[in-house]
Every structure is written in structure tokens, then in C-alpha cells.
Amino acid sequence: LSSAPTGTNLDVKNLGGLKMTEGSHAKTIELGKDWESFTFAPIRESQVSRAMTRRYFADLDDYAESDIVIVGAGSCGLSTAYMLGKQRPDLKIAIIEAGVAPGGGAWLGGQLFSAMVMRKPADVFLNDLGVPYEDEGDFVVVKHAALFTSTLLSKVLSFPNIKLFNATAVEDLITRPAPTPTDPHAVRIAGVVTNWTLVSMHHDDQSCMDPNTINAPLVISATGHDGPFGAFSVKRLVSMQQMERLGGMRGLDMRTAEDAIVKQTREVVKGLIVGGMEISEVDGANRMGPTFGAMALSGVKAAEEALKVIGE
Ligand code: AHZ
């Protein structure tokens, strides 16, 4: 990857100052000097198609064997990816996000309000990211939740060892037998089964749309609390009889919820770490509503747990 040209200063009043070199023709175009003769560099439709598909299919090939798969690109999944991407450039990390737009519930604070509240000590995560906030004593406020999410997303996506597959749903988990003395039917999680989300949503009215797979020794699930697309992995653990039942997310109590989510973030069955609001369904923790410190710090804890499993 070549980086974006630096040193240019695009200014609407002074477009003539920006010079652009046009591909192989090496013709210098001075933006804004003469809009009548302005033209983009040449293109053919097939070049655009190949530029996208070649890279996507190379990524599918490359990430078919990943070191870690993160399921769900909400605030917890993205925080996990950020910590791992920063610390371990040697690991190949795939993020699978069902939605077209990554970010989960973190584009707004609460209800439809813009500001995002984070209780201390989650301010350390914001400092690391470089997201500004107002200090209100025991908590801090980011002016726009979207500023947090877009900053986090831009950092995660710029790590060369992380690939986001969005509009892609995890439909199932890959398992291998891993019997223990107390449970001869125990399994370990060995990857994920994927499909385009739009295909996943049509299994009831279209037949024979088989999925794809990604092998990975470790899966980190952060699919949020129960809902149409939530708590995916832990619900599947119950239906495949690796967990007797879910505790079920409890009512809202900000005072207890956030500590519990961070503390309970862990490897739930071999090869599967669960974080963010998905873990509230396992142990029966309270929800916290619109305060996001636990999501960032659950991501930090999930990354730490991952390094314990994978080896420092
Ligand atoms: O699209 C989902 C969302 O972006 C994605 N996801 C869910 N199931 C998936 C599947 N395959 C792929 N099968 C899937 N992706 O997971 C993401 C979850 O993001 P989220 O923001 O819902 O969860 P989180 O745990 O990161 O953050 C929770 C934020 C909440 S909820 C809450 C409350 O209800 O009280 N409070 C907070 C702070």
C-alpha cells in the first residue's frame, strides 16, 4: 500500500496550488486553474471491478486461516481489535460484522442523543485513541459518540493485519471435539461459519445457500445483548449443548453493570472469548444503558485474555 501524498494543502480559495500527476500519462493537472478543461484521470469499468474484487478475494483467501476472528464490530469488538492490532502486528485478525455500517450501537450516546458518556477510568482508553472529551469529575463526555466510533474505526482499519468483512454474518461456529474428564462431549471453538448477511436473512424463503468458513484457533464474540442479531455465539453454545442455559441480561443498573461486564469478559468455552453486552446474557449481568466505559474496557480485557490463550 502506498500512502496518501503529504504536503498538499487543499484550500478552496487556492485550488490552483494543488498539483496532481495523472497515472502513466504523467500530465500535471492543476486543480481549479481551469475548470473548463478539467478532467479526471482515465478509467475503464472493468478496472474498477477488478480493483475491488481482486483485493476482496485475495483477502478471503488470506483470512480463511486467521489467528483471531472477532465477531461484531460494535464498541466492544472494535476496542478489542484496536488493542490487539496495536500490540500484535504479527497476528492475522478478521472482524466479521453483520451490518453494512460497523460501529453497532455506538454512533449515538443514548436514545437519539449525540454525546457519549464514559465513566472513569475508561478515559485512559480515550487518551490512547486521542479522542477529546469534557471532564465531569467521575465521568467524561465525548461531544459526539460518532467521533469516538469514527476515530476508533479509522485506527482499527488502518492496521495492515486487520481485515473487516462487513455485511457478513456469522451463522455458526466451527467446533472440534475436546473431551474433558467431566464432559466427554465438550468441544473447542475452531472458527466461524459465515454468509452474506442478506443471504443469512433469507434462509427461510430460499434453499441451498450454503455458507463459507474461516478457521481460527480463537474467536472473540462481541455481538451485543439478545435481539434479532444479538448474543449470537452464546445462544448457539446453548443450542449445541455446550452451556446449559443463559443467565439472561438483567434490568438496568449502571452502578453494578459496568464493573460486572468488564470482570466477566473471559474465555467461556475453549477457543471462545465473550465480551461486551453479549457476556451479560451468560452470567445474567445488569445492563448499563447509555454509558460506554465498560464496552471499551471489556475490549481491553478481551484482548488481554486473547493474548493469554494465544501466548504473549
Ligand atoms: O451488527 C451487530 C453489531 O454491530 C454485530 N453482530 C451481531 N450478531 C452478529 C453475527 N455476525 C456478525 N451473527 C454480528 N456480526 O455485533 C455488533 C454488536 O454491537 P453492539 O453495539 O450491539 O454491542 P456491544 O456489546 O459492543 O455494545 C453494547 C452497547 C450497549 S447496549 C446497552 C444497553 O442495552 O443497556 N448499553 C450499552 C453501552
Side-chain angles (χ1 to χ4, degrees), residues 70-78 96-106 109 165 168-172 197 221-225 228-233 249 252 258 261 275-279 286-295 298:
I70 297 174
V71 190
S75 44
C76 176
L78 289 174
I96 312 295
E97 166 51 51
V100 171
F165 295 95
T168 304
V170 168
E171 288 194 338
D172 207 347
T197 303
S221 191
T223 66
H225 58 67
F229 266 111
F232 173 80
S233 302
M249 182 181 72
L252 192 151
E258 293 211 276
I261 297 300
M277 284 313 285
E278 188 170 359
I279 196 75
N286 290 100
R287 72 194 298 181
M288 70 291 295
T291 164
F292 284 80
M295 296 305 117
S298 172

Side-chain angles (χ1 to χ4, degrees), residues 31 89 183 189-190 225 253:
L31 270 185
D183 183 1
I189 305 306
H225 58 67
D253 182 352

Side-chain angles (χ1 to χ4, degrees), residues 237-249:
L237 289 182
V238 174
S239 63
M240 65 165 82
Q241 300 179 358
Q242 293 301 307
M243 197 180 272
E244 212 173 301
R245 73 181 109 80
L246 294 178
M249 182 181 72

